[in-house]
């Protein structure tokens, strides 16, 4: 999977404002529920973990990308590149922010939800977002070229058969004025609302709320935020 290449180009995608807005919404929910001791699943480079710590909330992060976790650890964040099934502690709340569940294919989603359920304290919360169909079809699809002094990035994303395939190419200038080329793809999976609701309930969660969230567009919700409680 192209998660490590994504980690190298993420900073150039100019998503800072959107990321900040989504993180603020999650922080608001955590304050509202008075939650401490969080595991951030798919923590990326640790931006949300830093918001939590700045507000005195304890957090541990995990991500499948070794490169992302190296960045977290360089900021002295408590984070490991492990799968949720290998987490040994339990937490008051798990978060999975910015499409993390869309990276998980349908065949693995039930295991992921069951493993997340296992690492929560009784009455623990699982709060996450997923892309809506509108988000995939109207927002995520398309092409983008980024031309920087020492980098050239080409991104091409196509949504077909309920999957978004994003091809990424990164050319990086070397000291000798030649370029190295890296190429990889990421696949994200659309999970329909009813399918997700049924699966979450069957994995031992009560869905308290599903929030329609307009992150990239005023037109229609491009994300759902799920607030689920372990039962
Ligand atoms: C778009 S990034 C979001 C990063 C971070 N949560 C944020 O809000 O900035 C999605 C992250 O999910 C991670 N990821 C994908 N599937 C995962 C899984 N099954 N377990 C843990 N992390 C995963 C990716 O490596 C990537 O860092």
């Amino acid at each position: 999977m192209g998660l490590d290449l994504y980690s190298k180009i993420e900073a150039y995608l100019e998503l800072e404002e959107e990321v900040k807005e989504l993180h603020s919404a999650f922080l608001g929910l955590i304050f509202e529920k008075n939650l401490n001791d969080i595991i951030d699943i798919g923590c990326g480079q640790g931006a949300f973990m830093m918001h939590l710590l700045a507000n005195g909330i304890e957090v541990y992060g995990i991500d499948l990308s070794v490169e992302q976790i190296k960045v977290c650890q360089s900021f002295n964040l408590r984070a490991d590149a492990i799968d949720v099934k290998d987490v040994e502690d339990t937490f008051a709340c798990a978060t999975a922010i910015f499409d993390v569940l869309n990276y998980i294919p349908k065949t693995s989603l039930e295991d992921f939800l069951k493993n997340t359920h296992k690492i929560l304290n009784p009455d623990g919360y699982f709060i996450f977002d997923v892309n809506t169909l509108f988000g995939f079809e109207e927002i995520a699809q398309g092409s983008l070229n980024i031309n920087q002094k020492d980098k050239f990035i080409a991104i091409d994303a196509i949504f077909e058969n309920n999957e978004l395939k994003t091809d990424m190419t990164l050319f990086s200038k070397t000291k000798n004025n030649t370029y190295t080329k890296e190429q990889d793809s990421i696949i994200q999976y659309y999970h329909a609302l009813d399918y997700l609701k049924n699966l979450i309930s069957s994995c031992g969660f009560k869905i308290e709320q599903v929030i329609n969230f307009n992150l990239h567009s005023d037109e229609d919700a491009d994300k759902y935020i799920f607030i689920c409680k372990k039962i």
Side-chain angles (χ1 to χ4, degrees), residues 5 14 28 30 37 48-51 58 63 68 71 76 86-88 97 108 112 121 137 157 174 192 208 223 231:
L5 183 55
E14 296 184 347
I30 283 166
D37 192 18
F48 185 63
M49 295 174 74
M50 289 190 217
H51 288 309
E58 271 178 54
D63 199 290
Q68 301 278 54
V71 177
N76 286 327
D86 299 317
V87 174
E88 286 174 356
I97 310 178
S108 313
F112 175 87
N121 299 336
E137 285 181 335
T174 66
E208 276 196 354
K223 284 188 176 296
I231 45 174

Side-chain angles (χ1 to χ4, degrees), residues 111-156:
D111 282 347
F112 175 87
L113 291 168
K114 284 183 174 164
N115 289 325
T116 302
H117 186 272
K118 221 183 273 174
I119 58 162
L120 289 175
N121 299 336
D123 290 335
Y125 275 91
F126 179 35
I127 309 178
F128 65 89
D129 64 85
V130 283
N131 286 324
T132 62
L133 191 57
F134 175 82
F136 272 124
E137 285 181 335
E138 304 299 330
I139 309 288
Q141 277 204 100
S143 297
L144 175 68
N145 290 334
I146 301 166
N147 201 351
Q148 299 265 328
K149 214 170 98 205
D150 58 350
K151 285 197 179 358
F152 180 80
I153 299 166
I155 298 171
D156 199 16

Side-chain angles (χ1 to χ4, degrees), residues 165-223:
K165 182 164 179 274
T166 304
D167 296 320
M168 304 165 290
T169 308
L170 168 66
F171 290 95
S172 308
K173 204 173 192 174
T174 66
K175 280 184 199 144
N176 315 325
N177 277 344
T178 57
Y179 280 83
T180 58
K181 180 183 175 187
E182 292 169 81
Q183 216 161 18
D184 215 332
S185 304
I186 289 179
I187 297 189
Q188 284 180 276
Y189 305 88
Y190 168 61
H191 304 307
L193 188 57
D194 284 344
Y195 167 79
L196 211 43
K197 282 183 175 173
N198 286 334
L199 191 60
I200 288 165
S201 305
S202 74
C203 290
F205 290 100
K206 173 177 178 269
I207 299 169
E208 276 196 354
Q209 200 184 349
V210 179
I211 301 169
N212 286 351
F213 198 77
N214 292 65
L215 185 62
H216 306 280
S217 151
D218 295 332
E219 213 180 308
D220 223 334
D222 45 76
K223 284 188 176 296

